[in-house]
Short mmCIF file of all heavy atoms in Angstrom, two decimals:
data_model
loop_
_atom_site.label_atom_id
_atom_site.label_comp_id
_atom_site.label_asym_id
_atom_site.label_seq_id
_atom_site.Cartn_x
_atom_site.Cartn_y
_atom_site.Cartn_z
N LYS A 162 93.79 -85.81 -1.21
CA LYS A 162 95.10 -85.65 -0.56
C LYS A 162 95.02 -84.73 0.65
O LYS A 162 95.84 -84.85 1.57
CB LYS A 162 96.11 -85.10 -1.58
CG LYS A 162 96.42 -86.05 -2.72
CD LYS A 162 97.42 -85.43 -3.68
CE LYS A 162 97.73 -86.38 -4.84
NZ LYS A 162 98.69 -85.78 -5.80
N SER A 163 94.04 -83.84 0.65
CA SER A 163 93.91 -82.91 1.79
C SER A 163 92.99 -83.46 2.88
O SER A 163 92.81 -82.83 3.92
CB SER A 163 93.36 -81.56 1.30
OG SER A 163 92.05 -81.72 0.77
N LEU A 164 92.44 -84.64 2.64
CA LEU A 164 91.52 -85.24 3.60
C LEU A 164 92.22 -86.31 4.42
O LEU A 164 93.04 -87.06 3.92
CB LEU A 164 90.32 -85.84 2.89
CG LEU A 164 89.49 -84.91 1.99
CD1 LEU A 164 88.33 -85.68 1.37
CD2 LEU A 164 88.98 -83.72 2.78
N ARG A 165 91.88 -86.35 5.71
CA ARG A 165 92.42 -87.39 6.60
C ARG A 165 91.27 -88.29 7.04
O ARG A 165 90.28 -87.83 7.59
CB ARG A 165 93.08 -86.75 7.82
CG ARG A 165 93.77 -87.78 8.73
CD ARG A 165 94.51 -87.08 9.85
NE ARG A 165 93.60 -86.49 10.82
CZ ARG A 165 93.08 -87.14 11.87
NH1 ARG A 165 93.38 -88.43 12.07
NH2 ARG A 165 92.28 -86.54 12.70
N PHE A 166 91.42 -89.58 6.76
CA PHE A 166 90.38 -90.53 7.11
C PHE A 166 90.31 -90.69 8.63
O PHE A 166 91.32 -90.91 9.30
CB PHE A 166 90.64 -91.88 6.46
CG PHE A 166 89.64 -92.94 6.84
CD1 PHE A 166 88.31 -92.81 6.49
CD2 PHE A 166 90.05 -94.06 7.56
CE1 PHE A 166 87.39 -93.79 6.83
CE2 PHE A 166 89.13 -95.04 7.91
CZ PHE A 166 87.80 -94.91 7.55
N SER A 167 89.11 -90.55 9.17
CA SER A 167 88.90 -90.71 10.60
C SER A 167 87.92 -91.84 10.80
O SER A 167 86.71 -91.68 10.60
CB SER A 167 88.34 -89.41 11.20
OG SER A 167 88.03 -89.58 12.57
N LYS A 168 88.43 -92.99 11.17
CA LYS A 168 87.58 -94.18 11.31
C LYS A 168 86.64 -94.01 12.51
O LYS A 168 87.09 -93.76 13.62
CB LYS A 168 88.44 -95.42 11.51
CG LYS A 168 87.65 -96.72 11.50
CD LYS A 168 88.57 -97.91 11.59
CE LYS A 168 87.78 -99.21 11.63
NZ LYS A 168 87.03 -99.44 10.41
N PRO A 169 85.34 -94.09 12.27
CA PRO A 169 84.38 -93.96 13.38
C PRO A 169 84.45 -95.15 14.31
O PRO A 169 85.01 -96.20 13.97
CB PRO A 169 83.03 -93.88 12.66
CG PRO A 169 83.26 -94.58 11.36
CD PRO A 169 84.69 -94.31 10.99
N ASP A 170 83.88 -94.98 15.51
CA ASP A 170 83.91 -96.06 16.50
C ASP A 170 83.17 -97.30 16.01
O ASP A 170 83.56 -98.42 16.29
CB ASP A 170 83.29 -95.58 17.81
CG ASP A 170 84.12 -94.46 18.45
OD1 ASP A 170 85.33 -94.41 18.19
OD2 ASP A 170 83.54 -93.65 19.19
N SER A 171 82.09 -97.09 15.28
CA SER A 171 81.33 -98.22 14.75
C SER A 171 80.61 -97.77 13.50
O SER A 171 80.45 -96.58 13.24
CB SER A 171 80.30 -98.72 15.79
OG SER A 171 79.40 -97.68 16.11
N ARG A 172 80.19 -98.75 12.72
CA ARG A 172 79.49 -98.39 11.49
C ARG A 172 78.06 -97.98 11.81
O ARG A 172 77.50 -98.31 12.85
CB ARG A 172 79.50 -99.55 10.52
CG ARG A 172 78.49 -100.64 10.82
CD ARG A 172 78.60 -101.76 9.80
NE ARG A 172 77.53 -102.73 9.98
CZ ARG A 172 77.44 -103.85 9.29
NH1 ARG A 172 78.38 -104.16 8.41
NH2 ARG A 172 76.44 -104.68 9.48
N SER A 173 77.48 -97.22 10.89
CA SER A 173 76.09 -96.82 11.04
C SER A 173 75.21 -98.07 11.03
O SER A 173 75.58 -99.10 10.47
CB SER A 173 75.69 -95.89 9.88
OG SER A 173 74.30 -95.77 9.82
N HIS A 174 74.04 -97.96 11.65
CA HIS A 174 73.15 -99.12 11.69
C HIS A 174 72.58 -99.46 10.32
O HIS A 174 72.09 -100.56 10.10
CB HIS A 174 72.01 -98.88 12.68
CG HIS A 174 71.06 -97.79 12.26
ND1 HIS A 174 71.38 -96.46 12.36
CD2 HIS A 174 69.81 -97.84 11.72
CE1 HIS A 174 70.38 -95.74 11.92
NE2 HIS A 174 69.41 -96.55 11.52
N ASP A 175 72.64 -98.49 9.40
CA ASP A 175 72.05 -98.71 8.08
C ASP A 175 73.09 -98.83 6.97
O ASP A 175 72.75 -99.21 5.85
CB ASP A 175 71.08 -97.59 7.72
CG ASP A 175 69.77 -97.71 8.48
OD1 ASP A 175 69.36 -98.85 8.75
OD2 ASP A 175 69.19 -96.67 8.82
N ALA A 176 74.31 -98.42 7.24
CA ALA A 176 75.31 -98.41 6.17
C ALA A 176 76.70 -98.28 6.77
O ALA A 176 76.87 -98.10 7.97
CB ALA A 176 75.04 -97.24 5.22
N TYR A 177 77.71 -98.42 5.90
CA TYR A 177 79.08 -98.16 6.32
C TYR A 177 79.29 -96.64 6.38
O TYR A 177 78.96 -95.91 5.43
CB TYR A 177 80.07 -98.78 5.34
CG TYR A 177 80.06 -100.29 5.35
CD1 TYR A 177 79.45 -101.01 4.32
CD2 TYR A 177 80.65 -100.99 6.40
CE1 TYR A 177 79.43 -102.39 4.33
CE2 TYR A 177 80.65 -102.38 6.42
CZ TYR A 177 80.03 -103.07 5.38
OH TYR A 177 80.02 -104.45 5.41
N LEU A 178 79.80 -96.16 7.50
CA LEU A 178 80.00 -94.73 7.70
C LEU A 178 81.48 -94.39 7.61
O LEU A 178 82.30 -95.00 8.31
CB LEU A 178 79.45 -94.30 9.06
CG LEU A 178 79.73 -92.85 9.50
CD1 LEU A 178 79.08 -91.87 8.55
CD2 LEU A 178 79.25 -92.63 10.93
N PHE A 179 81.81 -93.42 6.77
CA PHE A 179 83.20 -92.98 6.61
C PHE A 179 83.25 -91.47 6.86
O PHE A 179 82.47 -90.70 6.29
CB PHE A 179 83.71 -93.30 5.20
CG PHE A 179 83.60 -94.75 4.86
CD1 PHE A 179 82.57 -95.22 4.06
CD2 PHE A 179 84.52 -95.68 5.36
CE1 PHE A 179 82.45 -96.56 3.75
CE2 PHE A 179 84.40 -97.02 5.05
CZ PHE A 179 83.37 -97.48 4.24
N VAL A 180 84.20 -91.07 7.70
CA VAL A 180 84.35 -89.66 8.06
C VAL A 180 85.74 -89.21 7.66
O VAL A 180 86.75 -89.87 7.96
CB VAL A 180 84.13 -89.44 9.58
CG1 VAL A 180 84.31 -87.96 9.93
CG2 VAL A 180 82.74 -89.92 9.99
N TYR A 181 85.82 -88.06 6.99
CA TYR A 181 87.09 -87.49 6.55
C TYR A 181 87.23 -86.08 7.12
O TYR A 181 86.26 -85.30 7.12
CB TYR A 181 87.16 -87.45 5.03
CG TYR A 181 87.12 -88.82 4.39
CD1 TYR A 181 85.90 -89.45 4.16
CD2 TYR A 181 88.30 -89.48 4.05
CE1 TYR A 181 85.85 -90.72 3.60
CE2 TYR A 181 88.25 -90.75 3.48
CZ TYR A 181 87.04 -91.36 3.26
OH TYR A 181 87.00 -92.62 2.70
N GLU A 182 88.40 -85.75 7.60
CA GLU A 182 88.67 -84.44 8.18
C GLU A 182 89.49 -83.61 7.22
O GLU A 182 90.44 -84.11 6.60
CB GLU A 182 89.41 -84.59 9.51
CG GLU A 182 88.61 -85.35 10.57
CD GLU A 182 89.41 -85.59 11.84
OE1 GLU A 182 90.63 -85.29 11.82
OE2 GLU A 182 88.83 -86.08 12.83
N ASN A 183 89.11 -82.35 7.11
CA ASN A 183 89.82 -81.43 6.23
C ASN A 183 90.29 -80.24 7.06
O ASN A 183 89.57 -79.27 7.25
CB ASN A 183 88.90 -80.97 5.09
CG ASN A 183 89.65 -80.16 4.04
OD1 ASN A 183 90.84 -79.89 4.18
ND2 ASN A 183 88.95 -79.78 2.99
N SER A 184 91.51 -80.31 7.59
CA SER A 184 92.03 -79.28 8.48
C SER A 184 92.35 -77.98 7.73
O SER A 184 92.54 -76.94 8.36
CB SER A 184 93.28 -79.77 9.19
OG SER A 184 94.27 -80.17 8.25
N ALA A 185 92.36 -78.02 6.40
CA ALA A 185 92.64 -76.81 5.63
C ALA A 185 91.42 -75.88 5.60
O ALA A 185 91.55 -74.68 5.37
CB ALA A 185 93.04 -77.18 4.20
#
Side-chain angles (χ1 to χ4, degrees):
K162 294 180 181 179
S163 64
L164 303 181
R165 185 175 70 86
F166 177 64
S167 176
K168 187 176 178 64
D170 295 334
S171 61
R172 78 181 187 185
S173 166
H174 67 284
D175 285 327
Y177 292 105
L178 173 63
F179 304 101
V180 179
Y181 296 84
E182 298 175 352
N183 188 356
S184 57

